[in-house]
Amino acid sequence: HHHDIQVRVFAQPLVGDRDFKAGYVADGINANSKRFQYQYDIVPFLPEYPVFTKLVSHAQAHGDEHFAEELKRLVDATRWAYEDLGSLYFMTTDCEVWTGTLGYDFALAEVAKALIEGQLKEIASAHSAKGGYDHCVCG
């Protein structure tokens, strides 16, 4: 059974588990899916606890124990077995695009840095279309 479905999502939270991904792949959709994520947008990392585990380590390494403790509480309260779908296209504030593992690592580092440095304005505006997605996609 052939599907000619293409999926493009922007700022997608983590929504699919292993069973969902298996169905997505079996239907032939995964290869035609792209996930776009803008710099400082935290929503695409929610609610995956492994990301927050990495952030806890990052906060501890930078000496921010209070922030690390708050994140640890979030980690302990959240257990979600998310599976990535499609391909990641990470867009910087300059609209430079990073893909694959480099894109994911850069996205995580930028969100961690923004959280640790208290760049709440950047985090809050990054998720809105007007905050960056529109700028990079529509020019």
Side-chain angles (χ1 to χ4, degrees), residues 92-112:
T92 69
T93 55
D94 295 330
C95 301
E96 185 177 348
V97 177
W98 293 72
T99 59
T101 303
L102 288 176
Y104 180 84
D105 291 346
F106 191 68
L108 179 59
E110 289 300 297
V111 168

Side-chain angles (χ1 to χ4, degrees), residues 81-132:
Y82 174 75
E83 294 278 335
D84 285 327
L85 299 173
S87 302
L88 172 65
Y89 290 79
F90 174 76
M91 300 176 290
T92 69
T93 55
D94 295 330
C95 301
E96 185 177 348
V97 177
W98 293 72
T99 59
T101 303
L102 288 176
Y104 180 84
D105 291 346
F106 191 68
L108 179 59
E110 289 300 297
V111 168
K113 178 182 169 197
L115 285 169
I116 290 167
E117 294 178 358
Q119 296 175 306
L120 301 180
K121 181 180 176 186
E122 288 83 354
I123 293 168
S125 67
H127 187 66
S128 72
K130 195 174 188 182

Side-chain angles (χ1 to χ4, degrees), residues 17-130:
D17 63 7
R18 183 179 11 194
D19 293 337
F20 182 84
K21 183 173 183 174
Y24 205 74
V25 170
D27 284 343
I29 302 169
N30 197 54
N32 294 323
S33 297
K34 293 182 180 179
R35 296 177 290 120
F36 293 89
Q37 180 176 343
Y38 188 70
Q39 188 168 349
Y40 304 126
D41 191 351
I42 196 169
V43 172
F45 290 113
L46 301 175
E48 186 183 35
Y49 72 89
V51 168
F52 288 100
T53 301
K54 291 176 188 176
L55 290 176
V56 167
S57 297
H58 193 75
Q60 288 170 332
H62 285 80
D64 194 341
E65 286 300 321
H66 175 72
F67 184 65
E69 287 177 27
E70 291 300 314
L71 281 174
K72 176 105 173 61
R73 281 191 202 103
L74 179 62
V75 169
D76 292 342
T78 309
R79 296 289 182 234
W80 179 254
Y82 174 75
E83 294 278 335
D84 285 327
L85 299 173
S87 302
L88 172 65
Y89 290 79
F90 174 76
M91 300 176 290
T92 69
T93 55
D94 295 330
C95 301
E96 185 177 348
V97 177
W98 293 72
T99 59
T101 303
L102 288 176
Y104 180 84
D105 291 346
F106 191 68
L108 179 59
E110 289 300 297
V111 168
K113 178 182 169 197
L115 285 169
I116 290 167
E117 294 178 358
Q119 296 175 306
L120 301 180
K121 181 180 176 186
E122 288 83 354
I123 293 168
S125 67
H127 187 66
S128 72
K130 195 174 188 182

